[in-house]
Amino acid sequence: MSLSAQTRPPAGAAAPPLIEARGLTRILPGLVPVTLVRDIDLTIGAGEFVAITGPSGSGKSSLLYLLGLLDAPTRGEVLINGHPTHLHSETRRARERLSTLGFVFQFHFLLPEFSVAENVMIPMRKLKRLGTRDMRARAVRMLGELGLEEHVDKLPIQLSGGQRQRVAVARALANDPPAILADEPTGSLDSKSSEQVFQILRKLVDDHGKTVIAVTHDLEMAARMDRRLHLVDGMLADP
Amino acid sequence: MPLILSIALTHVGGRFRQSIVSVLGVMLGVGFSIAMAALMEGSQRDFVATLVDAIPHVEVSDDRRDPAPPPAAARFDAVNVIGARPDDDTRGLRNPVRIKAMLENWLPGGMAASLSGQAVLRYGGKDVAVALTGVDPAAHLRVSTIGEDMRAGAFMDLAADLNGLIIGDGVADKIGANVGDTLAVSTSSGAVRRLKVIGLFHTGVTQADDATGYTVLKTAQVLFSRPNAINRLSIRLKDVNSARAVAQRVERMTGYRATSWQEANESLMEVLMVRNIIMYTVVGAILLVAGFGIFTIVSTIVHEKARDIAILKSLGFDQADIRRIFLMEGLFIGIVGSVLGSVLGYGLSVFLGSLAFEVKTNVELTSLPIYYSAWHYAIACGFALFSAGIAGYLPARRAAQLNPVDIIRGAS
């Protein structure tokens, strides 16, 4: 399977945690400031399958966006591969997202004017690590492994919800990032499609050493992951 | 194709109808700007060329810009001299041979001496006042295009006929005279001579055709009772635009007033300049309106594609990338509109230039004078692209500043 290269660190090597949060706090400014997450300290290593759970409004997605450098903390910092990111420019944070982090959202968010293969190729074209032919070949191969070989040249609108979400997973993996951050990846899917997507994520962790951090409401699914972070009112709590 | 460009093009393609309307806006703006500029500059150049052909490029007259003080004022230490009587010397350019010799060495063109004054032509009981100029025909043809404007006879015929007279066809119409008729010519000095019409000219400039006549210099000197005198030195330059500088130099050297064609027509040149300012203001306004069209379409796309902007940012696009996408959309519409507008502008110019009609103003027009210049295209397209760039940049900047988290939360 060539969804990605093996990213587990060699045995015995003392690698820094892939993602680390120190005193992470995010407050929305306004007349009445709203605290989304408060004083979060956590460490997530390579090859972990982590669930973030909690009631609605507890700050699950906010934490995920902070860990994924999509949002900037009010206080505290996020370290990627041991490197602090709070002083990074917007461009450098974007570069980190491009090469180190892959996002999957509750809705697929595929670009509707581009074909399935072209959607998967967008991050590759941005990173420019491969030639055009190799990008296309890699996109087709990845889509094939996700059971979408017949749909590579279709437009997203021609696919079912589950198929679109699998395309979104392929796109998140396009540049072979070590971490996938998923925000309710199965939230808009039926049970069969949800299970398919979960199995894909599981496989990424087990077979390819990827780190997957997924926000979910589904406690049963969370229980099948390796580790669970439970949030209440923006703070980590015991599940 | 670069990724940013392909995303920009799919956005514009996705809003095909609105994009076409925006392109049409720019196209019409650029097209009409080019055609209008070609027509305006064409008419201006035609007007100036006709005017410049009809008059000397520089004319040295027998008066001074700053008249010298009366000799008494220089001789006596007086604050003011009252009641000084002018000397009885007749007016005219003094020592014209010396002046001509002084100028001949460096003057980039030809010159001709003449004596001008007011005269009344009488024929068949009708009188008409004209500006009568006595010339050396051969020398005058070197500084004037009058030879090409002859409708009857030849200008050089004057050289062989001391009693010959060449008048504008407007003058001939006024008094009902024709070639071969003999007119009585009188001047303010009281002299009267009978001169025979040996030619008619038509320059197209009404004031010249309706009130000008030519005879030989000797005859004019007799009529004006100013033997051996000249009061005009007409200069024709190889480069008409150097007239101001040449006039200044001539004036410095001779002390006499030297008037360039620009100075002689200063008010007209100012009118033309004001006309150009109005034209470019109108053209700018047209293209600005086209810019609003682009602003609207790009703003709409930004609004519609907010979710795509968020996802592109999550994929690793930074603010500059997002800004480039939408700026490119505005510029793309501007470029397509400019190219099509240039074609339209050229077509319109050719069409306008092919229209034939007759308008009799100060200067005659038989077809619309069109001046083709790459500058018209460059200015119209440059302004359109500038306008498109601004119209694209403003929404692009807004798009780049969108917070992806806000959009993703809103979408979910």
Side-chain angles (χ1 to χ4, degrees), chain B residues 31 49 59 77 79 127 182 199 201 212 233 249 276 325 356 412:
Chain B
E59 190 170 71
D77 190 17
V79 175
D127 293 346
T182 300
F201 64 83
T212 310
L233 201 55
R249 188 169 172 188
N276 283 344
I325 289 173
S412 55

Side-chain angles (χ1 to χ4, degrees), chain A residues 26 28 36 61-63 65 70-71 90-91 94-95 97-99 101 103 105-114 119 121-123 125-126 171-172 175 183, chain B residues 1-4 6-8 10-11 13-14 305 307-321 324 400 403-409 411-412:
Chain A
R26 176 72 169 109
L28 285 183
L36 300 176
S61 296
S62 301
L63 176 60
Y65 299 147
L70 260 185
D71 200 4
E90 192 267 340
T91 302
R95 190 85 192 161
R97 288 197 295 273
L98 182 65
S99 58
L101 307 164
F103 279 93
F105 298 98
Q106 181 176 358
F107 296 97
H108 55 84
F109 288 158
L110 299 174
L111 302 192
E113 300 90 353
F114 289 83
N119 263 286
M121 287 166 66
I122 285 173
R125 290 175 70 184
K126 175 69 185 141
R171 184 180 60 187
N175 286 331
D183 187 7
Chain B
M1 187 189 295
L3 177 60
I4 301 275
S6 64
I7 294 174
T10 55
H11 284 177
K305 298 293 178 186
R307 210 185 60 174
D308 290 4
I309 294 167
I311 197 65
L312 289 172
K313 282 194 166 182
S314 78
L315 291 176
F317 284 62
D318 60 19
Q319 288 195 1
D321 293 323
R324 268 199 292 273
N403 184 354
V405 172
D406 293 343
I407 300 165
I408 291 164
R409 281 184 195 283
S412 55

